[in-house]
Amino acid sequence: MSGADRGASVPGLMGLETALWRAVAVYRGLALCYAAVVIAMNSGEYAHPLGGWAVLAVMVVWTGYAVFAFSDPRRRGRPLLAADLAVAAACVVATAWVETPANIAAGRPTLPVSWVAAAVLTWAVAGGRRRGIAAALVLALANLLVHVFAGTSGGIGTTTFNGIVLLFLAGLVVGHVVRLALDAEARLARAVELESATRERERLARRIHDSVLQVLAMVQRRGGELGGEAAELGRLAGEQEAALRSLIGSGPAAAPTAPARSGAAPGPDTDLRPLLTGHASTSVTVSTPATQVRLPAHAAREIEAAVAAALDNVRRHCGEGARAWVLLEDGAGEVTVSVRDDGPGMPAGRLEQAAAGGRLGVAQSIRGRIADLGGTVTVFTAVGEGTEIEMTVPRPPVPA
């Protein structure tokens, strides 16, 4: 992913991206000044002095254009990066024609000197340490070609070797540090967004508590006092009050965790607890662990849908006064959710008869969903003793 793409996907990264590209632009300008001084000092000893000034002119023109082009995130694509590296490599190779073979063999630096490192820094900022090392490799080959074209028999000197090592170090270190900085700022941006959402949630909770919850509580109390149809209205108001209290009382779901770059994680994961506590009411009690129970988002949604189907069966088959309890347990390698009710229970073979008759609520809505996740469903029931549906889903292994 290019720097422009990362900046576009996370707004908070634009400040850091801009600072990094400005730093590269400053380095490019300062390195150009140094290269100009070196060429001016050594031009009298060149085999082709005008060639040295021509190379300097190319460097000046390209520096101006590169500073302008890289300042626009929309232009920081592969064509501009390739052109930047090609110009730097060409200026290095031109040394074989401008300099004398004796000076090259003696270890005199190439014409652009450290100016070429700007291309390595550009690639490192745009794509991390891998691209930085790739750019350093291209420029290292250009340095070797200088000795090949000049016909020097002594091989590369200490100065050339040190320059190549510094290019590789620049690509590796700068690329690694840039990637760490961008990741840190992305995490900071997500933390700020989560904090803002939490504050807004708390503000809404205070307003709801001062208005909506009080009204619902009053409707429940007065409905019970009046009886009749008003009592049913009061009961419904009580259920909504309990559900709303559960919603505003549970903390916000943690931000999804993105899969590692080098792994093959199936996607973001989410906390299962808020999905289940949303079903709490005056007749449904939901109990969850104090810590997050994280699962892949698809698995969490399927488990929540199975629980919803089980609670729907309780409402349809156990009567208005039936209560249900949902218990979430987080094991080392599996997650278990049980739904228990105090209804009349079922005689032996009732589920099989329902499935044979085309009533597939438990078979498809519950067993089917859990089976697709690699889990199991166990039903405990007896006449007069209620029913308990226990759903166990294995936890996916965490990528190394």
Side-chain angles (χ1 to χ4, degrees):
M1 180 182 294
S2 68
D5 294 337
R6 289 194 304 269
S9 60
V10 182
L13 297 183
M14 291 302 295
L16 179 59
E17 290 272 3
T18 302
L20 291 172
W21 289 109
R22 286 178 179 172
V24 174
V26 171
Y27 173 84
R28 196 185 294 268
L30 295 177
L32 175 65
C33 295
Y34 175 64
V37 171
V38 172
I39 291 175
M41 294 176 57
N42 298 331
S43 61
E45 302 177 10
Y46 290 157
H48 300 89
L50 292 179
W53 294 110
V55 171
L56 179 60
V58 171
M59 294 167 57
V60 171
V61 172
W62 182 254
T63 297
Y65 175 76
V67 170
F68 166 75
F70 282 112
S71 64
D72 187 354
R74 294 171 297 180
R75 295 192 177 96
R76 298 170 192 159
R78 294 183 178 179
L80 183 59
L81 291 171
D84 189 31
L85 186 59
V87 171
C91 291
V92 171
V93 174
T95 304
W97 174 66
V98 175
E99 271 280 15
T100 62
N103 288 335
I104 293 175
R108 178 171 288 182
T110 58
L111 295 176
V113 205
S114 57
W115 181 81
V116 297
V120 176
L121 298 179
T122 298
W123 277 60
V125 171
R129 58 180 179 271
R130 291 184 179 179
R131 285 194 178 183
I133 292 176
L137 178 61
V138 172
L139 294 178
L141 294 176
N143 277 276
L144 296 177
L145 287 177
V146 170
H147 290 269
V148 172
F149 293 156
T152 55
S153 58
I156 64 172
T158 303
T159 302
T160 302
F161 179 77
N162 290 339
I164 292 175
V165 171
L166 290 177
L167 288 176
F168 277 102
L169 289 178
L172 175 65
V173 175
V174 173
H176 183 65
V177 171
V178 166
R179 179 56 55 85
L180 291 179
L182 293 175
D183 289 345
E185 188 162 358
R187 288 193 295 268
L188 177 60
R190 288 194 295 268
V192 171
E193 292 175 0
L194 181 59
E195 181 181 3
S196 300
T198 302
R199 290 181 179 178
E200 179 65 13
R201 187 188 186 95
E202 292 174 351
R203 185 186 68 83
L204 292 176
R206 290 192 297 269
R207 295 189 61 180
I208 291 173
H209 183 272
D210 294 338
S211 57
V212 179
L213 291 179
Q214 292 180 0
V215 172
L216 291 175
M218 182 184 68
V219 172
Q220 181 186 19
R221 184 176 64 256
R222 290 293 295 161
E225 293 174 355
L226 295 175
E229 294 183 358
E232 174 64 15
L233 181 62
R235 185 186 66 80
L236 294 176
E239 290 183 357
Q240 295 305 312
E241 180 195 7
L244 193 54
R245 286 186 183 277
S246 175
L247 178 63
I248 66 176
S250 61
T257 301
R261 290 187 180 91
S262 59
D269 60 342
T270 189
D271 187 4
L272 180 59
R273 298 177 304 162
L275 298 179
L276 299 184
T277 54
H279 294 282
S281 66
T282 55
S283 59
V284 179
T285 301
V286 180
S287 302
T288 63
T291 56
Q292 295 183 12
V293 181
R294 304 197 69 84
L295 287 172
H298 170 71
R301 289 193 300 268
E302 289 295 286
I303 294 175
E304 187 269 338
V307 170
L311 293 176
D312 183 63
N313 283 338
V314 174
R315 285 188 291 268
R316 288 193 289 118
H317 300 296
C318 298
E320 293 293 338
R323 291 186 54 82
W325 293 265
V326 179
L327 175 63
L328 172 61
E329 299 176 273
D330 188 13
E334 61 186 20
V335 172
T336 302
V337 181
S338 60
V339 180
R340 180 172 58 87
D341 64 65
D342 60 357
M346 294 182 293
R350 176 68 178 274
L351 292 178
E352 289 74 10
Q353 294 175 3
R359 299 187 299 275
L360 304 176
V362 174
Q364 290 185 352
S365 298
I366 300 177
R367 293 188 188 274
R369 283 190 168 96
I370 301 303
D372 288 344
L373 300 176
T376 59
V377 175
T378 306
V379 179
F380 304 94
T381 184
V383 177
E385 296 184 6
T387 301
E388 180 177 358
I389 300 177
E390 184 178 273
M391 297 166 276
T392 302
V393 176
R395 183 187 297 279
V398 178

